[in-house]
Amino acid sequence: MSILEVKDIKKKFENTEVLKGISFSMEEGQVVSIIGSSGSGKTTLLRCLNFIETPDEGIISVRGKELFNAANLSSDKHVREEDIRQNRLHFGMVFQHFNLFPQYTALENVALAPTLLKVKTEDEAKKEARELLDKMGLSDRMGNYPHQLSGGQQQRVAIARALAMHPDILCFDEPTSALDPELTGEVLKVIRSLAESHTTMIIVTHEMNFARDVSDTIIFMDQGVITEQGDAKELIDHPKMERTRQFLSAIAK
Amino acid sequence: MFVTVTLSLLEGFLSTLKLFALTLVFAIPLGLIICFGSMSKAKIIRLPVQLFIWIIRGTPLMLQLIVIYYGPGLLLGESPWVGLSGRFLAALVAFVINYACYFSEIYRGGLQSIPVGQYEAGQVLGLTKKDIFFKIILLQVVKRIVPPMSNEIITLVKDTSLARIISVYEIIWNGSSFIKSDGIIWPLLYTGAFFLLFSGLLTMLFHYLEKKLDYFK
């Protein structure tokens, strides 16, 4: 059974159709990278999966369970909000701009959600947060506030924060795009090690070499549709579609 | 004479402080309610609230004091504000409404200055709306509104003197009463010392608060 199945997702903002029917599926432990030029709908797709945006049409299923089906969008807003909140727990999200909570230390940022949602006691949550930050190479930064950390460190805290909720699928929205070039390496290294330990991930990225190395599958999106998808190395090295070829050669320049 | 004047001014200042403190106690939470009203998605709530804020901020507080003190009597034929405590209550109501409207606008500015990414980060972690507001947003808003709030609150200290227009015996009233009774004006000037001292204390308190919240950016 696929861990994630997305069927015919459509999303419109005002009069612009950003997603025009996106379908794909992925298996547990797989890494899928989504590439494509800006405005192709990559970020909107991730935001739909995390239920920050509500798709106008389509179905999202996790482990065979239908989480979302636009056809039976209930009109009872209150019930829906709690459902949406529950659905979000299946997905983790790492944002381009980290979005750490400034008033909490690195450790508190990571332990906050498990503590508030009573998944764990505060002590257990802090203990796991320490282990996660340790894995991110931030053992000596746990007591620091976000403004005292570099962009790369902040992004690694954000990854630990997402992992602390043990999502089925971890999503990255251009995790290195807001970083200075010399800081992207440390973040990519962490994501790479997550891939090696078979964390299920969807990564929206502009780092083609990284996507080629780390992912099982690459999805190329253009103007709200999936133009091409397939084995990561195959797609990057021998793209079949003309549009994919154009994009890849433009990026290589 | 100096002792008599000081005692009289102290008594008036107590009244001033009472008006000041009670105004804050009621206006700070009421401002939050008005703020949510002015940001409501429902036009039927938002528009009347915005109209109300416009009226309160667009007219002098002194006029509002007069309307609230004399208005009910003119409309109902009988004033609900009886005696000294009635006049104090009328002043309090006017101050609370006026300051709640100003506070609500400060809150609104503070709330709207929080990046939407903070809400989204809370949402994707599966936090409830309540937790997102109280555990993530609120302190960031508080940090941002301390400077404008301290401005408004120091203005309130001095605005309390407007209550004398409806014969609330606050410090300026007591100070100026010596002009009539003893023909001396220095007690009125002396009231300034009380205001300076108190607003100085408040300034220090707000500096302390700002420092306290300086640990994050």
Side-chain angles (χ1 to χ4, degrees):
Chain A
M1 188 194 308
S2 301
I3 193 164
L4 173 67
E5 198 171 352
V6 175
K7 259 190 232 156
D8 208 23
I9 293 287
K10 291 185 185 166
K11 178 71 187 173
K12 216 185 231 177
F13 292 112
E14 311 280 309
N15 290 320
T16 344
E17 207 174 7
V18 183
L19 299 176
K20 300 173 184 163
I22 299 288
S23 304
F24 71 94
S25 66
M26 66 188 291
E27 305 305 316
E28 184 148 20
Q30 268 198 336
V31 178
V32 172
S33 287
I34 305 177
I35 61 171
S37 46
S38 35
S40 59
K42 308 177 303 270
T43 294
T44 305
L45 176 59
L46 273 200
R47 291 169 65 84
C48 284
L49 291 178
N50 280 276
F51 301 94
I52 303 172
E53 307 288 354
T54 310
D56 301 324
E57 281 178 51
I59 299 170
I60 299 170
S61 312
V62 169
R63 296 186 200 279
K65 187 185 162 222
E66 193 173 289
L67 292 187
F68 174 87
N69 188 340
N72 39 20
L73 268 183
S74 132
S75 53
D76 189 343
K77 203 164 163 271
H78 190 72
V79 177
R80 234 186 69 203
E81 251 166 43
E82 181 52 24
D83 284 345
I84 288 175
R85 196 185 69 73
Q86 292 287 341
N87 288 347
R88 285 182 179 135
L89 295 172
H90 292 281
F91 296 88
M93 177 82 152
V94 174
F95 297 91
Q96 184 177 352
H97 295 285
F98 335 130
N99 299 352
L100 292 181
F101 307 130
Q103 73 268 44
Y104 293 116
T105 63
L107 185 72
E108 290 164 343
N109 261 281
V110 180
L112 184 72
T115 309
L116 287 179
L117 294 171
K118 303 205 165 50
V119 183
K120 292 188 170 68
T121 66
E122 196 179 341
D123 287 342
E124 285 169 352
K126 288 220 161 129
K127 184 167 166 272
E128 196 190 1
R130 265 185 219 103
E131 288 165 10
L132 283 168
L133 287 169
D134 201 35
K135 246 200 252 170
M136 299 293 133
L138 293 168
S139 339
D140 54 341
R141 289 279 179 235
M142 298 195 190
N144 285 105
Y145 289 94
H147 76 273
Q148 299 166 321
L149 301 172
S150 72
Q153 290 167 336
Q154 288 191 51
Q155 192 61 299
R156 283 182 283 152
V157 174
I159 295 171
R161 180 176 69 177
L163 286 170
M165 288 303 291
H166 298 284
D168 292 315
I169 299 144
L170 184 54
C171 304
F172 294 82
D173 185 14
E174 302 192 22
T176 58
S177 294
L179 297 176
D180 291 338
E182 74 265 28
L183 298 178
T184 58
E186 60 189 68
V187 172
L188 295 182
K189 203 177 115 194
V190 163
I191 301 174
R192 196 183 298 264
S193 80
L194 289 174
E196 278 158 11
S197 57
H198 304 292
T199 311
T200 314
M201 295 189 280
I202 302 176
I203 307 169
V204 168
T205 184
H206 289 300
E207 303 274 342
M208 290 310 137
N209 289 331
F210 174 74
R212 181 187 178 279
D213 289 353
V214 91
S215 354
D216 301 289
T217 306
I218 289 184
I219 291 175
F220 175 69
M221 278 179 71
D222 187 45
Q223 295 181 25
V225 294
I226 294 180
T227 309
E228 185 170 352
Q229 61 177 314
D231 177 79
K233 293 178 184 60
E234 190 64 26
L235 188 140
I236 297 281
D237 298 342
H238 310 287
K240 290 193 185 67
M241 307 298 287
E242 182 53 32
R243 182 69 192 91
T244 318
R245 240 172 277 156
Q246 275 174 5
F247 173 76
L248 288 172
S249 70
I251 281 222
K253 271 170 201 161
Chain B
M1 194 65 200
F2 182 75
V3 177
T4 323
V5 169
T6 305
L7 285 176
S8 163
L9 292 190
L10 267 177
E11 197 194 328
F13 196 53
L14 208 67
S15 197
T16 296
L17 284 182
K18 218 166 87 185
L19 186 56
F20 168 80
L22 288 172
T23 300
L24 287 185
V25 165
F26 293 110
I28 285 174
L30 181 63
L32 197 60
I33 295 169
I34 295 175
C35 168
F36 287 139
S38 74
M39 290 168 70
S40 167
K41 283 192 191 110
K43 263 191 186 163
I44 191 142
I45 299 172
R46 189 178 69 238
L47 293 181
V49 171
Q50 286 176 343
L51 179 72
F52 184 71
I53 294 174
W54 173 61
I55 291 170
I56 296 298
R57 296 207 311 166
T59 56
L61 176 53
M62 188 183 283
L63 192 59
Q64 292 163 20
L65 275 161
I66 291 167
V67 167
I68 283 175
Y69 182 59
Y70 293 104
L74 287 173
L75 287 174
L76 308 169
E78 194 181 347
S79 175
W81 318 114
V82 186
L84 179 60
S85 61
R87 296 201 297 276
F88 181 85
L89 209 60
L92 180 62
V93 168
F95 274 91
V96 167
I97 292 175
N98 184 276
Y99 273 82
C101 284
Y102 277 98
F103 290 165
S104 81
E105 286 295 278
I106 293 178
Y107 298 158
R108 190 173 60 83
L111 276 169
Q112 289 177 341
S113 73
I114 304 298
V116 65
Q118 289 291 309
Y119 292 91
E120 290 178 356
Q123 284 167 3
V124 297
L125 288 166
L127 299 182
T128 60
K129 273 192 159 175
K130 195 174 131 225
D131 277 345
I132 292 173
F133 182 76
F134 285 104
K135 305 286 180 176
I136 298 171
I137 304 301
L138 188 60
L139 191 63
Q140 296 185 51
V141 173
V142 168
K143 181 184 166 79
R144 283 168 206 224
I145 67 174
V146 166
M149 283 296 277
S150 72
N151 238 337
E152 225 26 74
I153 288 171
I154 286 169
T155 302
L156 171 62
V157 179
K158 296 163 290 171
D159 270 359
T160 52
S161 60
L162 287 171
R164 64 189 281 273
I165 198 77
I166 57 169
S167 307
V168 171
Y169 301 143
E170 45 66 69
I171 185 167
I172 298 270
W173 177 286
N174 284 11
S176 56
S177 69
F178 287 97
I179 300 174
K180 275 186 226 148
S181 60
D182 300 80
I184 46 173
I185 197 160
W186 64 264
L188 183 57
L189 306 179
Y190 181 21
T191 61
F194 288 79
F195 283 107
L196 275 176
L197 193 73
F198 189 58
S199 57
L201 279 174
L202 284 175
T203 306
M204 272 155 62
L205 176 75
F206 285 118
H207 269 293
Y208 171 77
L209 256 179
E210 273 182 52
K211 265 249 152 68
K212 264 278 197 198
L213 290 169
D214 221 23
Y215 70 92
F216 72 88
K217 295 244 165 3

